[in-house]
Coordinates of all heavy atoms in Angstrom, one line a residue:
M1 N 0.8 -1.2 0.0 CA 0.0 0.0 0.0 C 0.9 1.2 0.0 O 1.8 1.4 0.8 CB -0.9 -0.1 1.2 CG -1.8 1.1 1.4 SD -2.8 1.1 2.8 CE -3.2 -0.6 3.1
E2 N 0.6 2.2 -0.8 CA 1.4 3.4 -0.9 C 1.1 4.2 0.4 O 0.0 4.4 0.8 CB 0.9 4.2 -2.1 CG 1.8 5.4 -2.4 CD 1.4 6.1 -3.6 OE1 1.5 5.5 -4.7 OE2 0.9 7.2 -3.5
T3 N 2.2 4.8 1.0 CA 2.1 5.4 2.2 C 1.4 6.8 2.1 O 1.1 7.4 3.1 CB 3.4 5.6 2.9 OG1 4.3 6.3 2.1 CG2 3.9 4.2 3.3
S4 N 1.3 7.4 0.9 CA 0.8 8.7 0.8 C -0.7 8.8 0.6 O -1.3 9.8 0.6 CB 1.4 9.4 -0.4 OG 1.1 8.8 -1.6
T5 N -1.4 7.6 0.5 CA -2.8 7.6 0.4 C -3.4 6.7 1.4 O -2.8 5.9 2.1 CB -3.2 7.1 -1.0 OG1 -2.7 5.7 -1.2 CG2 -2.6 8.0 -2.1
V6 N -4.8 6.8 1.5 CA -5.5 5.9 2.3 C -6.3 4.9 1.4 O -6.5 5.2 0.2 CB -6.5 6.6 3.2 CG1 -5.8 7.5 4.2 CG2 -7.5 7.4 2.4
P7 N -6.6 3.7 1.8 CA -7.3 2.8 0.9 C -8.6 3.3 0.4 O -9.3 4.0 1.2 CB -7.5 1.5 1.8 CG -6.6 1.7 3.0 CD -6.3 3.2 3.1
S8 N -9.0 3.0 -0.8 CA -10.2 3.5 -1.3 C -11.4 3.0 -0.5 O -12.4 3.7 -0.5 CB -10.3 3.1 -2.8 OG -10.3 1.6 -2.9
L9 N -11.3 1.9 0.1 CA -12.4 1.4 1.0 C -12.8 2.4 2.0 O -13.9 2.5 2.4 CB -11.9 0.1 1.6 CG -12.9 -0.6 2.5 CD1 -14.2 -1.0 1.7 CD2 -12.3 -1.8 3.2
V10 N -11.8 3.1 2.6 CA -12.1 4.1 3.7 C -12.1 5.5 3.3 O -12.6 6.4 3.9 CB -11.2 3.9 4.9 CG1 -11.5 2.6 5.6 CG2 -9.8 4.2 4.6
S11 N -11.5 5.8 2.1 CA -11.3 7.2 1.6 C -12.5 8.0 1.5 O -12.6 9.2 1.7 CB -10.5 7.3 0.3 OG -11.2 6.8 -0.7
G12 N -13.7 7.4 1.2 CA -14.9 8.1 1.1 C -15.6 8.4 2.4 O -16.5 9.1 2.5
Y13 N -15.0 7.8 3.5 CA -15.6 8.0 4.8 C -14.9 8.9 5.7 O -15.4 9.4 6.7 CB -15.7 6.6 5.5 CG -16.7 5.7 4.8 CD1 -16.2 4.7 4.0 CD2 -18.1 5.7 5.0 CE1 -17.1 3.8 3.3 CE2 -19.0 4.9 4.4 CZ -18.4 3.9 3.5 OH -19.3 3.1 2.9
I14 N -13.6 9.2 5.4 CA -12.9 10.1 6.2 C -12.7 11.4 5.5 O -12.8 11.5 4.3 CB -11.5 9.5 6.6 CG1 -10.6 9.4 5.4 CG2 -11.7 8.1 7.3 CD1 -9.2 8.9 5.8
P15 N -12.5 12.5 6.3 CA -12.3 13.8 5.8 C -11.1 13.8 4.8 O -10.1 13.2 5.1 CB -12.1 14.7 7.0 CG -12.7 14.0 8.1 CD -12.5 12.5 7.8
E16 N -11.2 14.6 3.8 CA -10.1 14.8 2.9 C -9.0 15.7 3.6 O -9.4 16.5 4.4 CB -10.5 15.4 1.6 CG -11.3 14.5 0.7 CD -10.5 13.3 0.3 OE1 -9.3 13.5 -0.1 OE2 -11.0 12.2 0.3
G17 N -7.8 15.6 3.1 CA -6.8 16.5 3.6 C -5.6 15.7 4.3 O -5.8 14.6 4.8
E18 N -4.5 16.4 4.4 CA -3.3 15.7 4.9 C -3.4 15.4 6.4 O -2.9 14.4 6.9 CB -2.1 16.6 4.6 CG -0.8 15.9 5.0 CD -0.6 14.5 4.5 OE1 -1.0 14.2 3.4 OE2 0.0 13.7 5.2
T19 N -4.1 16.3 7.1 CA -4.3 16.0 8.6 C -5.0 14.6 8.8 O -4.5 13.8 9.5 CB -5.1 17.1 9.3 OG1 -4.4 18.3 9.1 CG2 -5.3 16.8 10.7
S20 N -6.1 14.4 8.1 CA -6.9 13.2 8.3 C -6.1 12.0 7.7 O -6.0 11.0 8.4 CB -8.2 13.3 7.6 OG -9.0 14.3 8.2
H21 N -5.5 12.2 6.6 CA -4.8 11.1 5.9 C -3.5 10.7 6.7 O -3.2 9.5 6.9 CB -4.4 11.4 4.5 CG -5.7 11.4 3.6 ND1 -5.6 11.2 2.3 CD2 -7.0 11.6 3.9 CE1 -6.8 11.3 1.8 NE2 -7.7 11.5 2.7
G22 N -2.8 11.7 7.3 CA -1.7 11.5 8.1 C -2.0 10.7 9.4 O -1.3 9.8 9.8
A23 N -3.1 11.1 10.0 CA -3.6 10.5 11.2 C -4.0 9.0 10.9 O -3.7 8.1 11.7 CB -4.7 11.2 11.8
F24 N -4.6 8.8 9.7 CA -5.0 7.4 9.4 C -3.7 6.6 9.2 O -3.6 5.5 9.6 CB -5.8 7.4 8.1 CG -6.1 6.0 7.6 CD1 -7.2 5.3 8.2 CD2 -5.4 5.4 6.7 CE1 -7.4 4.0 7.9 CE2 -5.6 4.1 6.3 CZ -6.6 3.4 6.9
R25 N -2.7 7.1 8.5 CA -1.5 6.4 8.2 C -0.8 6.0 9.6 O -0.3 4.9 9.7 CB -0.5 7.1 7.3 CG -1.0 7.2 5.9 CD 0.0 7.7 4.9 NE 0.5 9.0 5.3 CZ 0.0 10.2 4.9 NH1 -1.0 10.2 4.1 NH2 0.6 11.3 5.3
L26 N -0.8 7.0 10.5 CA -0.2 6.7 11.8 C -0.9 5.6 12.5 O -0.3 4.7 13.0 CB -0.2 8.0 12.6 CG 0.2 7.9 14.1 CD1 1.7 7.4 14.2 CD2 -0.1 9.1 14.9
A27 N -2.2 5.7 12.5 CA -3.0 4.6 13.2 C -2.8 3.3 12.5 O -2.6 2.2 13.1 CB -4.5 5.0 13.2
R28 N -2.9 3.3 11.1 CA -2.7 2.1 10.4 C -1.4 1.4 10.6 O -1.3 0.2 10.7 CB -2.8 2.4 8.9 CG -2.7 1.2 7.9 CD -2.4 1.6 6.5 NE -1.1 2.3 6.5 CZ -0.7 3.1 5.5 NH1 -1.6 3.4 4.5 NH2 0.4 3.7 5.5
D29 N -0.3 2.2 10.7 CA 1.0 1.7 10.9 C 1.3 1.3 12.4 O 2.3 0.6 12.7 CB 2.0 2.7 10.5 CG 2.0 2.9 8.9 OD1 1.4 2.1 8.2 OD2 2.6 3.9 8.5
S30 N 0.5 1.7 13.3 CA 0.7 1.5 14.7 C -0.2 0.5 15.4 O 0.2 -0.2 16.3 CB 0.6 2.8 15.5 OG 1.4 3.8 15.0
L31 N -1.5 0.4 14.9 CA -2.5 -0.4 15.6 C -2.7 -1.7 14.9 O -2.5 -1.8 13.7 CB -3.8 0.4 15.6 CG -3.8 1.7 16.4 CD1 -5.1 2.5 16.1 CD2 -3.6 1.5 17.9
S32 N -3.2 -2.7 15.7 CA -3.6 -3.9 15.0 C -4.9 -3.6 14.2 O -5.6 -2.6 14.5 CB -3.9 -5.0 16.1 OG -5.0 -4.6 16.9
E33 N -5.2 -4.5 13.3 CA -6.3 -4.3 12.4 C -7.6 -4.2 13.2 O -8.5 -3.3 12.9 CB -6.4 -5.4 11.3 CG -7.5 -5.2 10.4 CD -7.5 -6.2 9.2 OE1 -6.6 -7.0 9.1 OE2 -8.5 -6.2 8.5
P34 N -7.8 -5.1 14.2 CA -9.2 -4.9 15.0 C -9.3 -3.6 15.7 O -10.3 -3.0 15.7 CB -9.1 -6.1 16.0 CG -8.2 -7.1 15.3 CD -7.2 -6.3 14.6
I35 N -8.1 -3.1 16.3 CA -8.2 -1.8 16.9 C -8.4 -0.7 15.9 O -9.1 0.3 16.2 CB -7.0 -1.6 17.9 CG1 -7.1 -2.7 19.0 CG2 -7.0 -0.2 18.5 CD1 -5.9 -2.7 19.9
L36 N -7.7 -0.8 14.8 CA -7.9 0.3 13.7 C -9.3 0.3 13.3 O -9.9 1.4 13.2 CB -7.0 0.0 12.6 CG -7.1 0.9 11.4 CD1 -6.7 2.3 11.7 CD2 -6.3 0.4 10.2
N37 N -9.9 -0.8 13.1 CA -11.3 -0.9 12.6 C -12.2 -0.3 13.7 O -13.2 0.4 13.4 CB -11.7 -2.3 12.3 CG -11.1 -2.8 11.0 OD1 -10.6 -2.0 10.2 ND2 -11.0 -4.1 10.9
H38 N -11.9 -0.6 15.0 CA -12.7 0.0 16.1 C -12.6 1.5 16.1 O -13.6 2.2 16.2 CB -12.1 -0.6 17.4 CG -12.4 0.3 18.6 ND1 -13.7 0.4 19.2 CD2 -11.6 1.1 19.3 CE1 -13.6 1.2 20.2 NE2 -12.4 1.7 20.3
S39 N -11.4 2.0 15.9 CA -11.2 3.5 15.8 C -12.0 4.1 14.7 O -12.5 5.2 14.8 CB -9.7 3.8 15.8 OG -9.1 3.3 17.0
L40 N -12.0 3.4 13.5 CA -12.8 3.9 12.4 C -14.3 4.0 12.7 O -15.0 4.9 12.4 CB -12.6 3.1 11.2 CG -11.2 3.3 10.5 CD1 -10.9 2.2 9.4 CD2 -11.1 4.7 9.8
R41 N -14.8 2.9 13.4 CA -16.2 2.9 13.8 C -16.5 4.0 14.8 O -17.5 4.6 14.7 CB -16.5 1.5 14.4 CG -16.6 0.4 13.3 CD -17.2 -0.9 13.9 NE -16.4 -1.4 15.0 CZ -15.4 -2.3 14.9 NH1 -15.0 -2.6 13.7 NH2 -14.8 -2.7 16.0
V42 N -15.6 4.2 15.7 CA -15.7 5.3 16.7 C -15.9 6.6 16.0 O -16.8 7.4 16.3 CB -14.6 5.4 17.7 CG1 -14.6 6.7 18.5 CG2 -14.5 4.2 18.6
Y43 N -15.1 6.9 14.9 CA -15.3 8.1 14.2 C -16.7 8.2 13.5 O -17.3 9.2 13.6 CB -14.2 8.2 13.1 CG -14.5 9.3 12.1 CD1 -14.5 10.7 12.5 CD2 -14.9 9.0 10.8 CE1 -14.8 11.7 11.6 CE2 -15.2 10.0 9.9 CZ -15.2 11.3 10.3 OH -15.5 12.3 9.4
L44 N -17.0 7.1 12.8 CA -18.3 7.1 12.1 C -19.5 7.3 13.1 O -20.4 8.0 12.7 CB -18.5 5.8 11.3 CG -17.5 5.6 10.2 CD1 -17.6 4.3 9.6 CD2 -17.7 6.7 9.1
I45 N -19.4 6.7 14.2 CA -20.5 6.9 15.2 C -20.5 8.4 15.7 O -21.5 9.0 15.8 CB -20.4 5.9 16.4 CG1 -20.7 4.5 15.8 CG2 -21.3 6.3 17.5 CD1 -20.3 3.4 16.8
A46 N -19.3 8.9 16.0 CA -19.2 10.3 16.5 C -19.7 11.3 15.5 O -20.4 12.2 15.8 CB -17.8 10.6 17.0
K47 N -19.3 11.0 14.2 CA -19.8 11.9 13.2 C -21.3 11.8 13.0 O -22.0 12.9 12.9 CB -19.1 11.4 11.8 CG -19.5 12.3 10.6 CD -18.8 11.8 9.4 CE -19.2 12.6 8.2 NZ -19.9 11.8 7.2
G48 N -21.9 10.6 13.1 CA -23.3 10.5 13.0 C -24.0 11.2 14.1 O -25.1 11.9 13.9
L49 N -23.5 11.0 15.3 CA -24.1 11.7 16.4 C -24.0 13.2 16.3 O -24.9 14.0 16.6 CB -23.5 11.3 17.8 CG -23.8 9.9 18.2 CD1 -23.0 9.5 19.4 CD2 -25.3 9.8 18.6
A50 N -22.8 13.7 15.9 CA -22.6 15.1 15.7 C -23.6 15.7 14.6 O -24.2 16.8 14.8 CB -21.2 15.5 15.3
E51 N -23.8 15.0 13.6 CA -24.7 15.4 12.5 C -26.2 15.4 13.0 O -26.9 16.4 12.8 CB -24.6 14.5 11.3 CG -23.4 14.7 10.5 CD -23.1 13.6 9.4 OE1 -23.8 12.6 9.5 OE2 -22.2 13.8 8.6
K52 N -26.5 14.4 13.8 CA -27.9 14.3 14.3 C -28.2 15.4 15.3 O -29.3 16.0 15.3 CB -28.1 13.0 15.0 CG -29.4 12.8 15.6 CD -29.6 11.4 16.3 CE -31.0 11.3 16.9 NZ -31.2 10.0 17.5
E53 N -27.1 15.8 16.1 CA -27.3 16.9 17.1 C -27.1 18.3 16.5 O -27.2 19.3 17.3 CB -26.4 16.6 18.3 CG -26.8 15.3 19.0 CD -25.8 15.0 20.1 OE1 -24.7 15.7 20.3 OE2 -26.0 14.1 20.9
G54 N -26.7 18.4 15.3 CA -26.4 19.7 14.7 C -25.1 20.3 15.4 O -25.0 21.5 15.5
S55 N -24.2 19.5 15.8 CA -23.0 19.9 16.5 C -22.0 20.6 15.6 O -21.9 20.3 14.4 CB -22.3 18.8 17.2 OG -21.0 19.1 17.7
I56 N -21.2 21.5 16.1 CA -20.2 22.2 15.3 C -19.2 21.1 14.8 O -18.5 21.3 13.8 CB -19.4 23.2 16.2 CG1 -18.5 24.1 15.3 CG2 -18.7 22.6 17.4 CD1 -18.0 25.3 16.0
W57 N -19.1 20.0 15.5 CA -18.1 18.9 15.1 C -18.5 18.2 13.9 O -17.7 17.4 13.3 CB -17.9 17.9 16.3 CG -17.3 18.6 17.4 CD1 -17.9 19.1 18.6 CD2 -15.9 19.0 17.5 NE1 -16.9 19.8 19.3 CE2 -15.7 19.7 18.7 CE3 -14.8 18.9 16.7 CZ2 -14.5 20.3 19.1 CZ3 -13.6 19.4 17.1 CH2 -13.4 20.1 18.2
A58 N -19.7 18.5 13.3 CA -20.2 17.9 12.1 C -19.9 18.8 10.9 O -20.2 18.5 9.8 CB -21.7 17.6 12.2
T59 N -19.3 20.0 11.2 CA -19.0 20.9 10.1 C -17.7 20.5 9.4 O -16.8 19.9 10.0 CB -18.9 22.4 10.6 OG1 -17.8 22.4 11.5 CG2 -20.1 22.8 11.3
P60 N -17.6 20.9 8.1 CA -16.4 20.5 7.3 C -15.1 21.0 8.0 O -14.1 20.4 7.9 CB -16.6 21.2 6.0 CG -18.0 21.3 5.8 CD -18.6 21.5 7.2
A61 N -15.1 22.2 8.7 CA -13.9 22.7 9.4 C -13.5 21.8 10.6 O -12.3 21.7 10.9 CB -14.1 24.1 9.8
K62 N -14.5 21.2 11.2 CA -14.2 20.5 12.5 C -14.1 18.9 12.3 O -13.5 18.2 13.1 CB -15.3 20.7 13.5 CG -15.3 22.1 14.0 CD -14.1 22.5 14.9 CE -14.2 23.8 15.4 NZ -13.1 24.2 16.3
L63 N -14.6 18.4 11.2 CA -14.6 17.0 10.9 C -13.2 16.4 11.0 O -12.9 15.3 11.5 CB -15.3 16.6 9.7 CG -16.8 16.4 9.8 CD1 -17.4 16.1 8.4 CD2 -17.2 15.3 10.8
P64 N -12.1 17.1 10.4 CA -10.8 16.5 10.5 C -10.3 16.4 11.9 O -9.6 15.4 12.3 CB -9.9 17.5 9.7 CG -10.9 18.1 8.7 CD -12.2 18.2 9.5
L65 N -10.7 17.3 12.8 CA -10.3 17.2 14.2 C -11.0 16.1 14.9 O -10.4 15.3 15.7 CB -10.5 18.5 14.9 CG -9.8 19.7 14.4 CD1 -10.3 21.0 15.0 CD2 -8.3 19.5 14.5
L66 N -12.3 15.9 14.6 CA -13.0 14.8 15.2 C -12.4 13.4 14.7 O -12.3 12.5 15.5 CB -14.5 14.9 14.7 CG -15.4 13.8 15.2 CD1 -15.5 13.9 16.8 CD2 -16.8 13.9 14.6
F67 N -12.0 13.4 13.4 CA -11.4 12.2 12.9 C -10.1 11.9 13.6 O -9.9 10.7 14.0 CB -11.2 12.3 11.4 CG -10.6 11.0 10.8 CD1 -11.3 9.9 10.6 CD2 -9.2 11.0 10.5 CE1 -10.7 8.7 10.2 CE2 -8.6 9.9 10.0 CZ -9.3 8.7 9.8
V68 N -9.3 12.9 13.8 CA -8.0 12.6 14.4 C -8.2 12.1 15.8 O -7.5 11.2 16.3 CB -7.1 13.9 14.4 CG1 -5.9 13.8 15.3 CG2 -6.6 14.2 12.9
A69 N -9.1 12.7 16.6 CA -9.3 12.3 17.9 C -9.8 10.8 18.0 O -9.4 10.0 18.8 CB -10.4 13.2 18.6
A70 N -10.7 10.5 17.1 CA -11.3 9.1 17.0 C -10.2 8.1 16.6 O -10.1 7.0 17.2 CB -12.5 9.0 16.1
I71 N -9.5 8.4 15.5 CA -8.6 7.4 14.9 C -7.4 7.2 15.8 O -6.7 6.1 15.8 CB -8.2 7.8 13.5 CG1 -7.6 6.5 12.8 CG2 -7.2 8.9 13.4 CD1 -8.7 5.5 12.4
C72 N -7.0 8.2 16.6 CA -5.8 8.1 17.4 C -6.1 7.8 18.9 O -5.2 7.7 19.7 CB -5.0 9.5 17.4 SG -4.3 9.8 15.7
H73 N -7.4 7.7 19.3 CA -7.7 7.5 20.7 C -7.1 6.3 21.4 O -6.9 6.2 22.6 CB -9.2 7.7 20.9 CG -10.0 6.4 20.8 ND1 -10.4 6.0 19.5 CD2 -10.4 5.5 21.7 CE1 -11.1 4.8 19.7 NE2 -11.1 4.5 20.9
D74 N -6.8 5.2 20.6 CA -6.2 4.0 21.2 C -4.8 3.8 20.8 O -4.3 2.7 20.9 CB -7.1 2.8 20.7 CG -8.3 2.6 21.7 OD1 -8.2 3.1 22.8 OD2 -9.2 1.9 21.2
L75 N -4.0 4.8 20.4 CA -2.6 4.6 20.1 C -1.8 4.1 21.2 O -0.8 3.4 21.0 CB -2.0 5.9 19.6 CG -2.3 6.4 18.2 CD1 -1.7 7.7 17.9 CD2 -1.9 5.4 17.2
G76 N -2.2 4.3 22.4 CA -1.5 3.8 23.6 C -1.6 2.3 23.7 O -0.9 1.7 24.5
A77 N -2.5 1.7 22.9 CA -2.6 0.2 22.9 C -1.7 -0.4 21.9 O -1.6 -1.6 21.9 CB -4.1 -0.2 22.6
S78 N -0.9 0.4 21.3 CA 0.1 -0.2 20.3 C 1.4 -0.3 21.0 O 1.8 0.3 22.0 CB 0.2 0.8 19.1 OG 0.9 2.0 19.4
E79 N 2.2 -1.2 20.4 CA 3.6 -1.4 20.9 C 4.4 -0.1 20.8 O 5.2 0.2 21.6 CB 4.3 -2.5 20.1 CG 4.2 -3.8 20.7 CD 5.0 -4.9 20.0 OE1 6.2 -4.6 19.7 OE2 4.5 -5.9 19.7
L80 N 4.2 0.6 19.7 CA 5.0 1.9 19.4 C 4.8 2.9 20.5 O 5.7 3.6 20.9 CB 4.5 2.4 18.0 CG 5.3 3.6 17.5 CD1 6.8 3.3 17.4 CD2 4.7 4.1 16.2
Y81 N 3.6 3.0 21.1 CA 3.3 4.0 22.1 C 3.0 3.4 23.4 O 2.4 4.0 24.3 CB 2.2 4.9 21.6 CG 2.5 5.7 20.4 CD1 2.0 5.3 19.1 CD2 3.4 6.7 20.4 CE1 2.4 6.0 18.0 CE2 3.7 7.4 19.3 CZ 3.2 7.0 18.1 OH 3.6 7.8 16.9
D82 N 3.5 2.2 23.7 CA 3.3 1.6 25.0 C 4.3 2.1 25.9 O 5.5 1.9 25.8 CB 3.5 0.1 24.9 CG 3.2 -0.7 26.2 OD1 2.6 -0.1 27.0 OD2 3.6 -1.8 26.3
G83 N 3.9 2.9 26.9 CA 4.8 3.5 27.9 C 4.4 3.1 29.3 O 3.7 2.2 29.6
E84 N 5.0 3.9 30.2 CA 4.8 3.6 31.7 C 3.4 4.0 32.2 O 3.0 3.5 33.2 CB 5.9 4.3 32.4 CG 7.3 3.8 32.1 CD 8.4 4.6 33.0 OE1 8.0 5.3 33.9 OE2 9.5 4.3 32.6
Q85 N 2.7 4.9 31.5 CA 1.4 5.4 32.0 C 0.3 4.5 31.4 O 0.6 3.6 30.5 CB 1.2 6.8 31.5 CG 2.2 7.8 32.0 CD 1.9 9.2 31.6 OE1 1.1 9.8 32.1 NE2 2.7 9.6 30.5
R86 N -0.9 4.7 31.9 CA -2.0 3.9 31.4 C -2.1 4.1 29.8 O -1.8 5.2 29.4 CB -3.3 4.3 32.0 CG -3.4 4.0 33.5 CD -4.9 4.4 34.0 NE -5.6 5.4 33.3 CZ -5.6 6.7 33.6 NH1 -4.9 7.2 34.6 NH2 -6.3 7.5 32.9
F87 N -2.6 3.1 29.1 CA -2.7 3.3 27.7 C -3.5 4.5 27.2 O -3.2 5.1 26.2 CB -3.2 2.0 27.0 CG -4.7 1.8 26.9 CD1 -5.3 2.2 25.7 CD2 -5.4 1.3 27.9 CE1 -6.7 2.1 25.6 CE2 -6.8 1.2 27.8 CZ -7.4 1.5 26.7
E88 N -4.5 4.9 28.0 CA -5.3 6.0 27.6 C -4.5 7.3 27.6 O -4.6 8.1 26.7 CB -6.5 6.2 28.5 CG -7.5 5.0 28.6 CD -7.2 4.2 29.8 OE1 -6.0 3.9 30.1 OE2 -8.1 3.6 30.4
V89 N -3.6 7.4 28.6 CA -2.8 8.6 28.7 C -1.7 8.5 27.6 O -1.4 9.6 27.0 CB -2.2 8.7 30.2 CG1 -1.1 9.8 30.3 CG2 -3.2 8.8 31.2
E90 N -1.1 7.4 27.4 CA -0.1 7.2 26.4 C -0.6 7.6 25.0 O 0.0 8.2 24.2 CB 0.5 5.8 26.4 CG 1.3 5.5 27.6 CD 2.6 6.2 27.8 OE1 3.1 6.8 26.8 OE2 3.1 6.3 28.9
G91 N -1.9 7.1 24.8 CA -2.5 7.4 23.5 C -2.8 8.8 23.3 O -2.6 9.4 22.2
A92 N -3.3 9.5 24.4 CA -3.6 10.9 24.3 C -2.3 11.7 24.0 O -2.3 12.6 23.2 CB -4.2 11.4 25.6
D93 N -1.2 11.3 24.7 CA 0.1 12.0 24.4 C 0.6 11.8 23.0 O 1.1 12.7 22.4 CB 1.1 11.5 25.5 CG 0.9 12.0 26.8 OD1 0.0 12.9 27.0 OD2 1.5 11.5 27.8
A94 N 0.4 10.5 22.5 CA 0.8 10.2 21.2 C 0.1 11.0 20.1 O 0.6 11.5 19.1 CB 0.7 8.7 20.9
A95 N -1.3 11.1 20.4 CA -2.1 11.8 19.4 C -1.8 13.3 19.4 O -1.7 13.9 18.4 CB -3.6 11.7 19.8

């Protein structure tokens, strides 16, 4: 897989732009497939809820930030970011 793009399977679901694509590549390269898939589902659910509630997080300007938060929220569960603190803290620091 070319590192500069995201798979076409998910490209239609995540926000366009280098911020989102870079966060996806980081998660893809760091997380196991089940955790990566979980993180993608978290984003889709958060986006759906934001849209339903008319939240600012559903706007084009905020969707990339919502995506980064969702896709990176479990980075602490990866070997790359496994540190001395709880995985939630390590993941937040990594993101």
